[in-house]
Amino acid sequence: MRWTVVIPVKAPASGKSRLVPGVTDAARAALARAFALDTIAAARAARSVERVIVVGDDPDLADGAEFLAESPGERGLLPAIRHGIAYARTGSRDATAPLPDGRDAATAPLPDGRDAATAPLPDGRDAAVAVLLGDLPALTADELDSALEAASRHPLAFVRDADGTGTTLATAAVGVAFDPQFGPGSAARHAAAGFVELEASGAPGLTRDVDTVDGLETVLHHGVGDHTADVVAHLADRKGTA
């Protein structure tokens, strides 16, 4: 099974606010950008991934992947994810802006009567879709490939984060309606909605999203991608010469 991976990415200038006061605002923005770039690089390198769609407001973060601007309507993580899923499956459908008659574009049928959540791409290919958080700087392509291979055996699946309550990856097989619920407590919501939990204890890069300085220190022990390693080294050099 070939996958389309949707990665929502918050603008670095406003992302990762919980890293402060451990780091300066400039360092926080640089780290947020590096986390996203390393996540995107791992997804693009995964053998099972056919498309990577980055949803956000900074095209420079796409780094060779497809870029999809956030909807001008409702902003936030879940609207960005729904927008990306709809685009992955229909090519252009805006999942967040309401239709002229007030219906939700993510659930209303397409003009020919098809469901927007399961409609094929314009060239006729259906898409198995995964949503991956954009703050996994230690993620490797092999970890993602292993998780997606396991996910391919289930209509809906998810990976619980290392803290135990959140989600770092959610997936839907071809033709399966997909409405992942990322955010605090999302692991329980996904399990209750019928998503199968995937075993990922051997994939620290996939389960450890980074929100705090302590979280960054933890993933540094596992090894991080080139972008994050470069930023951390630069910050260490600056601290050493200060």
Side-chain angles (χ1 to χ4, degrees), residues 12 20-21 41 46-47 58 72 91 93 99 108 127 141 148 153 155 159 174 180 194 196 213 216 219 232:
V20 178
R47 296 182 303 277
D58 183 356
R93 190 64 177 271
L99 297 174
L148 294 177
R153 298 191 286 270
V159 171
V174 173
V196 174
V213 172
L216 175 58
V219 297
V232 169

Side-chain angles (χ1 to χ4, degrees), residues 126-203:
D126 286 336
V129 180
V131 175
L132 179 69
L133 290 186
D135 57 355
L136 298 165
L139 178 67
T140 67
D142 286 344
E143 287 176 330
L144 183 56
D145 274 325
S146 294
L148 294 177
E149 193 280 327
S152 68
R153 298 191 286 270
H154 307 285
L156 295 166
F158 78 102
V159 171
R160 188 183 299 264
D161 68 11
D163 291 337
T165 60
T167 302
T168 59
L169 176 75
T171 68
V174 173
V176 176
F178 191 25
D179 186 24
Q181 298 294 314
F182 283 80
S186 61
R189 291 195 297 275
H190 284 136
F195 287 69
V196 174
E197 182 173 354
L198 302 177
E199 167 58 39
S201 60

Side-chain angles (χ1 to χ4, degrees), residues 85-98:
I85 292 169
Y87 177 78
R89 286 189 160 171
T90 69
S92 62
R93 190 64 177 271
D94 186 341
T96 58

Side-chain angles (χ1 to χ4, degrees), residues 3-107:
W3 290 87
T4 293
V5 175
V6 174
I7 304 177
V9 177
K10 193 173 184 178
S14 58
K16 296 299 155 193
S17 58
R18 290 170 59 193
L19 288 172
V20 178
V23 299
T24 66
D25 279 341
R28 173 192 52 74
L31 286 167
R33 180 180 183 82
F35 297 168
L37 289 172
D38 282 330
T39 305
I40 294 163
R44 292 186 64 214
R47 296 182 303 277
S48 57
V49 175
E50 186 171 51
R51 289 174 81 195
V52 176
I53 300 169
V54 176
V55 185
D57 58 8
D58 183 356
D60 291 338
L61 281 174
D63 195 31
E66 293 181 56
F67 176 76
L68 177 65
E70 285 188 274
S71 170
E74 185 181 3
R75 295 297 191 96
L77 178 62
L78 291 180
I81 287 171
R82 296 177 71 208
H83 187 38
I85 292 169
Y87 177 78
R89 286 189 160 171
T90 69
S92 62
R93 190 64 177 271
D94 186 341
T96 58
L99 297 174
D101 61 2
R103 292 177 301 160
D104 187 340
T107 57

